[in-house]
Amino acid sequence: MSRPRIVIVGAGFAGYRAARTLSRLTRHQADITLLNPTDYFLYLPLLPQVAAGILEPRRVTVSLSGTLPHVRLVLGEADGIDLDGRTVRYTDPEGGAGTLSYDRLVLAAGSVNKLLPIPGVAEHAHGFRSLPEALYLRDHVTRQMELAAAGDDPARCQARCTFVVVGAGYTGTEVAAHGQLFTDAQVRKHPLRAGMRPRWMLLDIADRVLPELDERLARTADEVLRQRGVDVRMGTSVKEATHDGVLLTDGEFVSTRSLVWCVGVRPDPLAAALELPLERGRLLVDPHLQVPGRAELFAAGDAAAVPDLEKPGSYTPMTAQHAWRQGKTVAHNVAASLGMGERRAYRHRDLGFVVDLGGVKAAANPLGVHLSGPVAGAVTRGYHLAAMPGNRVRVAADWVLDAVLPRQAVQLGLVRSWSVPLDTASPELVRMPGGPEGAKVPDRDEPAKETSGESDPMRDPDAVRHPEPPGPVKRPERPEQREEKAQHRKKSTASTSRKGTHEHR
């Protein structure tokens, strides 16, 4: 009898934990395949430190093949799932198509940036859900500071020194906190930048920062942000975004070249494509993380609407803590469905949250005990080191070096604005050049061009010029498509040759 085939879609917190736990539980009695666009697990909570230049990018990534030696890794994006045929279709990084067959399927596709119908946001804002987006933000912030220092127009200089973060949740709060320290350091340690005033704004329609967390944590974070000079505006958001600034809902226009979108996330569209019962885009599952009526299908993490047994009638929120613990539970239940162990319902009681505010400041409430200041900072970093499945020594070493050495504020230019569009189902992948001609993607780092001989007020003579960005990406052709086109070209060439010979005669 052949061994059962288990396919896990997604290697985020839920998918990675499920693969690691299943590898241990099945003890080589099942074939486990992990389908993911990248070959690493990303530890999202430390992403703001990458954008602020504290941690190097590889510190927050954990090799899948290196830490899951008994799990087959398949690089690709899931294109569709045939529930009746029990297959998953995917596209690999080179454009080739593939199919994976399964006896048990775990959907842990995660989430993507949440968009709102606000004019200009999709074109001028950038999200913060992936490593490419963090690298882009670090380069972009550094570039704006350098261009501001080199310019001679005070208004333009201030616009470049203004950074607007929309969304005062966990991610947005940390991005603003770290960003303010990052830009202040660039000004403070450079004598020729005296007088520059970096300005970070944090906006949200909620009445306080961190609205989903304990009120005392929110109050601590708010105080730290305001003390550093962050312009915190609650009950305010963006009404329209343009190339040269944002119009706020209170009527004020803020000149800026930087709009960071952290309003939240939405489930990966793959869940909705299954045409099964959903709860706000998430796949409905029972307390055992199994899809009702589909004994072979399980879901966990942001893609799953898991009943909260601690709060009857509600569902667990889309957080890394829940995804990590659901990954372990779904692994036990998949193994139990194959006759290995017993099923268990997902039940979780919050043990507290930590919010890293940069420097030695943080807010934390482990086991309900409210902490702030350096003590909270130590607890926060200790928690992250304990929670990371790898790279602990490297992360700790980067923290020590950051404490004793100045940060290297340089722009590498590896990720361009058009490479990380806000409206994408794959934020972990950068858009590649070579697309067909068509509508151009705006580049946030490139000033607008002059039109009809009149000088555009947004054209900057001191801006760095870059090649025109490519249009929408077209997936590489499949082998059969290339062969068909080659045959067509041969026929066309032969026809043209015969026509030319006839005309010559």
Side-chain angles (χ1 to χ4, degrees):
M1 182 177 178
S2 61
R3 300 196 300 180
R5 298 161 300 177
I6 304 172
V7 173
I8 303 171
V9 178
F13 280 88
Y16 179 85
R17 186 80 182 277
R20 193 171 73 170
T21 306
L22 272 169
S23 179
R24 175 176 56 84
L25 293 176
T26 57
R27 298 179 181 179
H28 313 296
Q29 298 180 42
D31 293 327
I32 305 172
T33 300
L34 181 60
L35 176 64
N36 197 60
T38 65
D39 63 351
Y40 59 81
F41 159 76
L42 175 64
Y43 189 75
L44 271 170
L46 291 181
L47 208 55
Q49 296 194 23
V50 174
I54 300 173
L55 296 177
E56 288 303 310
R58 286 186 297 175
R59 303 295 187 256
V60 298
T61 62
V62 177
S63 169
L64 296 178
S65 57
T67 55
L68 302 173
H70 302 296
V71 175
R72 177 192 174 203
L73 172 63
V74 175
L75 291 178
E77 294 182 81
D79 295 328
I81 299 174
D82 183 353
L83 296 176
D84 296 327
R86 295 193 177 188
T87 58
V88 178
R89 301 185 306 276
Y90 70 92
T91 303
D92 67 27
E94 297 182 343
T99 303
L100 298 173
S101 300
Y102 64 85
D103 298 303
R104 298 291 184 272
L105 175 65
V106 179
L107 182 62
S111 56
V112 297
N113 292 313
K114 181 180 180 180
L115 294 175
L116 297 177
I118 299 175
V121 166
E123 295 80 12
H124 300 289
H126 288 88
F128 200 81
R129 289 286 302 163
S130 66
L131 194 56
E133 290 172 328
L135 292 175
Y136 164 74
L137 182 60
R138 184 168 72 176
D139 271 7
H140 175 77
V141 170
T142 303
R143 181 180 303 115
Q144 295 307 307
M145 297 297 293
E146 291 172 346
L147 290 175
D152 54 6
D153 185 340
R156 187 172 295 158
C157 172
Q158 189 55 50
R160 292 193 179 281
C161 291
T162 301
F163 307 91
V164 179
V165 181
V166 185
Y170 186 91
T171 301
T173 299
E174 289 198 339
V175 168
H178 281 280
Q180 185 73 61
L181 289 180
F182 185 44
T183 53
D184 283 350
Q186 293 189 45
V187 172
R188 183 176 59 254
K189 297 178 181 180
H190 200 303
L192 296 181
R193 297 181 182 179
M196 289 178 58
R197 295 287 184 269
R199 179 191 183 193
W200 283 78
M201 297 183 66
L202 181 61
L203 314 177
D204 202 301
I205 58 174
D207 59 355
R208 63 180 176 89
V209 299
L210 302 173
E212 70 276 14
L213 299 186
D214 181 80
E215 188 173 350
R216 288 178 296 178
L217 285 179
R219 188 163 52 248
T220 298
D222 186 87
E223 291 174 355
V224 172
L225 290 172
R226 293 180 187 276
Q227 287 172 0
R228 286 187 185 157
V230 177
D231 187 356
V232 180
R233 298 194 187 185
M234 297 295 97
T236 306
S237 189
V238 173
K239 185 177 182 179
E240 182 182 0
T242 66
H243 182 272
D244 56 344
V246 293
L247 177 64
L248 305 185
T249 53
D250 61 7
E252 180 183 353
F253 184 83
V254 178
S255 296
T256 180
R257 296 296 180 83
S258 311
L259 180 58
V260 188
W261 196 252
C262 302
V263 295
V265 296
R266 56 189 171 98
D268 191 288
L270 185 63
L274 296 178
E275 298 183 352
L276 293 173
L278 302 173
E279 169 62 29
R280 295 186 178 181
R282 294 195 285 172
L283 196 61
L284 276 172
V285 297
D286 61 22
H288 299 93
L289 307 179
Q290 193 169 25
V291 176
R294 292 282 179 177
E296 78 287 355
L297 180 58
F298 298 78
D302 290 352
V306 182
D308 191 341
L309 299 182
E310 298 294 327
K311 301 175 182 178
S314 62
Y315 299 91
T316 57
M318 298 165 65
T319 65
Q321 280 194 12
H322 281 290
W324 185 250
R325 289 163 175 79
Q326 288 170 10
K328 181 178 180 180
T329 300
V330 77
H332 279 276
N333 291 337
V334 169
S337 72
L338 299 173
M340 307 173 194
E342 298 181 355
R343 292 204 312 167
R344 57 177 67 176
Y346 177 72
R347 188 184 298 270
H348 170 67
R349 182 173 61 89
D350 287 338
L351 301 178
F353 288 90
V354 294
V355 183
D356 183 11
L357 300 174
V360 297
K361 298 294 184 68
N365 61 348
L367 301 176
V369 180
H370 180 68
L371 301 174
S372 62
V375 175
V379 170
T380 298
R381 293 198 169 184
Y383 168 81
H384 287 314
L385 285 180
M388 288 193 69
N391 290 348
R392 295 187 181 95
V393 175
R394 290 186 172 94
V395 169
D398 273 6
W399 283 341
V400 172
L401 291 175
D402 181 68
V404 299
L405 297 175
R407 295 180 199 173
Q408 294 177 295
V410 296
Q411 49 164 323
L412 301 178
L414 300 177
V415 181
R416 298 301 303 157
S417 174
W418 47 262
S419 300
V420 283
L422 181 64
D423 188 6
T424 175
S426 303
E428 65 276 2
L429 299 177
V430 297
R431 174 174 289 186
M432 301 300 292
E437 293 296 326
K440 297 300 181 181
V441 182
D443 192 337
R444 187 68 176 170
D445 300 323
E446 185 173 0
K449 296 182 177 180
E450 294 178 359
T451 58
S452 65
E454 295 180 0
S455 178
D456 190 310
M458 286 311 303
R459 183 173 178 85
D460 292 332
D462 57 351
V464 180
R465 300 300 175 196
H466 296 279
E468 192 74 21
V473 174
K474 179 180 179 182
R475 291 190 184 280
E477 296 173 341
R478 296 178 183 177
E480 59 267 26
Q481 292 174 321
R482 289 196 294 268
E483 183 178 355
E484 181 180 350
K485 285 190 174 183
Q487 292 176 355
H488 178 73
R489 283 195 296 270
K490 288 181 180 178
K491 292 180 181 179
S492 300
T493 302
S495 176
T496 303
S497 177
R498 288 194 296 269
K499 181 178 178 182
T501 302
H502 177 75
E503 291 176 349
H504 178 70
R505 289 175 181 173

